[in-house]
């Protein structure tokens, strides 16, 4: 069975002048137009293709990579608006993505960039999008544990932090107090779970879980020192402002990373500085 609006691995069953036909099962053949077909492709080969429906509701395959697939959220730009709805640049040549008027939270304007959810209309079998995000979020119970790593799409900033979509499924927030670097609206970042609230919303911190974060920060400190003749002008006595300015991290994380480096015999700590005494690869490169 072919998954419309997703990638599928399909077998070539026929070659024609204008492309190849792929086996969509149950007697259905799906055209992959010639411009997407490599000259080395033969009958029997299996290809990874994205499948959608064209304006005449025929299944079409492409090797273009859409900006978002069915079941995903993304920020997309409106390329045109007509009496049917707004059409988004989807990243597929010759195919825009429709947001019907009844799926628009507010009227969309040409050139605007909006967060949308991509879904498959089960009646028409067409891929479409919606700006009414809430109805697609939190429909299952999150089972995350503290420290679990997730992907977070940054939606907007509302005090006390950034509202995000977690793993294309749940609502989350990254508090301003947990940020030590910039994040941009529309980007997808790595984050980890601090807690799951009773209402199903998720509190996150940017970056990986604590253990991974400490090791990554320790490595960053080492290589900054290595590039500066083996020393870095920071120590346990440094102020949070000094640490944030140089490393974009909290003093708490900094002290944990320094502890890792000291424990593994990689640096020594002097007055206001750390000094390399052994190679990272030798002591921590495993």
């Amino acid at each position: 069975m072919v998954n419309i609006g997703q990638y599928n691995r399909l077998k070539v069953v026929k070659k024609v002048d204008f492309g190849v036909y792929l086996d969509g099962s149950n007697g259905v053949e799906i055209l992959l137009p010639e411009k997407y077909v490599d000259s080395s492709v033969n009958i029997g080969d299996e290809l990874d293709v994205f499948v959608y429906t064209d304006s005449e509701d025929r299944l079409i395959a492409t090797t273009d990579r859409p900006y978002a697939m069915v079941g995903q959220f993304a920020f997309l730009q409106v390329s045109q608006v007509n009496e049917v709805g707004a059409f988004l640049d989807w990243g597929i040549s010759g195919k825009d993505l429709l947001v019907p008027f009844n799926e628009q939270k507010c009227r969309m304007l040409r050139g605007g960039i909006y967060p949308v959810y991509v879904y498959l209309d089960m009646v028409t079998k067409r891929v479409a999008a919606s700006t009414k995000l809430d109805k697609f979020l939190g429909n299952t119970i999150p089972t995350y544990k503290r420290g679990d790593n997730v992907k977070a799409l940054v939606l907007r900033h509302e005090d006390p932090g950034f509202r995000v979509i977690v793993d294309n499924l749940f609502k989350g927030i990254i508090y301003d107090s947990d940020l030590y670097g910039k994040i941009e609206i529309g980007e997808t970042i790595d984050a980890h779970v601090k807690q799951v609230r009773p209402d199903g919303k998720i509190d996150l911190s940017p970056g990986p879980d604590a253990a991974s974060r400490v090791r990554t920060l320790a490595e960053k400190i080492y290589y900054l020192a290595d590039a500066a003749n083996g020393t870095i002008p920071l120590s346990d006595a440094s102020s949070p402002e000094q640490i944030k300015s140089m490393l974009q991290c909290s003093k708490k994380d900094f002290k944990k990373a320094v502890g890792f480096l000291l424990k593994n015999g990689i640096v020594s700590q002097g007055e206001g500085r750390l000094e390399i005494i052994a190679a990272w690869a030798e002591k921590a490169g495993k």
Side-chain angles (χ1 to χ4, degrees), residues 13-253:
V13 293
K14 187 188 301 181
K15 297 183 75 173
V16 292
D17 291 341
F18 46 87
V20 299
Y21 280 97
L22 308 172
D23 181 12
S25 74
N26 298 322
V28 176
E29 294 183 349
I30 302 171
L31 176 66
L32 177 65
E34 180 185 14
K35 65 179 179 178
Y36 302 117
V37 181
D38 188 273
S39 59
S40 62
V41 170
N42 292 304
I43 292 174
D45 290 349
E46 292 187 342
L47 305 177
D48 291 313
V49 294
F50 183 79
V51 176
Y52 64 97
T53 54
D54 66 10
S55 59
E56 298 180 16
D57 292 337
R58 297 172 300 189
L59 291 175
I60 299 292
T62 179
T63 56
D64 284 342
R65 296 193 65 84
Y67 298 137
M69 298 186 294
V70 165
Q72 295 181 337
F73 295 84
F75 279 76
L76 300 180
Q77 185 169 27
V78 177
S79 56
Q80 63 172 312
V81 178
N82 63 20
E83 67 280 0
V84 177
F87 289 84
L88 308 173
D89 178 3
W90 197 16
I92 295 178
S93 177
K95 178 65 176 179
D96 287 343
L97 183 63
L98 173 66
V99 184
F101 285 122
N102 63 0
E103 289 295 338
Q104 296 180 25
K105 189 173 182 179
C106 60
R107 188 55 58 93
M108 302 173 77
L109 302 175
R110 182 176 180 180
I113 299 174
Y114 301 86
V116 299
Y117 178 78
V118 181
Y119 68 95
L120 179 65
D121 186 309
M122 299 309 295
V123 175
T124 65
K125 300 301 181 183
R126 295 177 180 176
V127 181
S130 174
T131 62
K132 297 180 179 180
L133 308 186
D134 285 352
K135 68 180 183 179
F136 301 103
L137 291 168
N139 295 320
T140 59
I141 299 173
T143 58
Y144 298 112
K145 302 183 298 295
R146 181 180 177 87
D148 282 351
N149 295 320
V150 299
K151 294 289 185 180
L153 173 65
V154 183
L155 277 184
R156 61 186 181 276
H157 185 271
E158 290 178 358
D159 287 336
F162 284 89
R163 307 292 170 169
V164 301
I165 294 173
V166 182
D167 287 342
N168 287 298
L169 290 170
F170 306 107
K171 296 178 182 179
I173 185 170
I174 297 175
Y175 292 99
D176 291 336
S177 57
D178 287 330
L179 288 173
Y180 291 93
K182 286 186 176 181
I183 61 175
E184 301 289 341
I185 292 172
E187 73 172 320
T188 298
I189 66 170
D190 293 316
H192 67 276
V193 174
K194 292 178 65 178
Q195 69 167 342
V196 177
R197 290 188 251 159
D199 62 3
K201 294 179 182 177
I202 303 166
D203 293 345
L204 304 173
S205 282
D209 66 285
S212 299
R213 190 169 68 250
V214 166
R215 183 181 176 89
T216 299
L217 179 57
E219 188 172 11
K220 180 178 181 179
I221 292 168
Y222 172 85
Y223 283 107
L224 283 174
D226 187 52
N229 297 317
T231 63
I232 187 171
L234 291 174
S235 71
D236 279 352
S238 298
S239 70
E241 292 74 25
Q242 288 174 303
I243 293 167
K244 181 178 179 180
S245 175
M246 183 169 289
L247 297 173
Q248 294 78 51
C249 72
S250 67
K251 183 165 182 175
K252 181 179 178 180
D253 278 355

